[in-house]
Amino acid sequence: MRKLALFKGIPFEIIGQKVNREYIHSIIPNDFKAKDFLVAFYLEYNGLYFTEGAQSIENKGVDGDYGIEIELFYRIENKLPEIWEATKEISPEARLFAERNFPIGRDSSGNEFWVDMFDGSVKYIEWEYDLTKESVSVISSDFKEFCMSIERL
């Protein structure tokens, strides 16, 4: 039985290894809004892959709901640090972005979801463009809100 009980009715696989709280804090040491939820998430769902697709719904309940597809959450034991470090090498702007944010997942096109290490907001990067203000959108105020907005595709 899962403690967080997220993603009901959405088929998924866990592709990461079990990790402990200390390991998660060693990778992401900063405190921010909903960090406790993020830690609980990685203890339970490290490397989550949505086998039939999922989406984060913005403005739920408002006309014109907008869904952003999410394919997977990165494995914290290797993929997350690998993506984080590789992003710092793309450009000076990417380095500055990655010093404040860390990656958590991606869609099937390679666009990514990141969490701000200071305010906890979740950001979406459209990598079809260079890293600019236009290619980065804040899509949720925190990681918990983001996870709670995920529905079957």
Side-chain angles (χ1 to χ4, degrees), residues 51 53 118 130 139 149:
T51 57
F118 297 94
D130 290 333
I139 61 168
S149 76

Side-chain angles (χ1 to χ4, degrees), residues 66-81:
Y66 180 72
I68 299 175
E69 184 252 348
I70 179 164
E71 181 179 43
L72 61 84
F73 285 93
Y74 293 133
R75 297 170 301 205
I76 198 165
E77 74 272 14
N78 56 15
K79 200 62 174 171
L80 185 155

Side-chain angles (χ1 to χ4, degrees), residues 4 10 14 16-17 33 35 37 40 44 55 60 63-64 97 116 124 134-135 152-153:
L4 294 180
I10 307 173
I14 303 296
Q17 301 172 4
K33 184 178 177 186
K35 167 111 184 245
F37 184 87
E44 203 166 323
Q55 62 184 334
K60 192 169 180 151
D63 288 341
F97 182 82
D116 188 300
Y124 179 69
E134 292 77 28
S135 65
R152 190 176 192 139
L153 191 58

Side-chain angles (χ1 to χ4, degrees), residues 124-150:
Y124 179 69
I125 300 177
E126 296 181 80
W127 283 116
E128 289 89 2
Y129 313 102
D130 290 333
L131 187 66
T132 64
K133 287 182 181 183
E134 292 77 28
S135 65
V136 178
S137 304
V138 175
I139 61 168
S140 187
S141 66
D142 62 60
F143 185 74
K144 182 176 183 180
E145 179 182 274
F146 174 68
C147 287
M148 301 307 273
S149 76
I150 294 175

Side-chain angles (χ1 to χ4, degrees), residues 40-59:
F41 175 89
Y42 273 103
L43 289 172
E44 203 166 323
Y45 296 102
N46 182 33
L48 185 142
Y49 170 68
F50 293 108
T51 57
E52 295 179 21
Q55 62 184 334
S56 170
I57 303 293
E58 293 186 77
N59 303 319

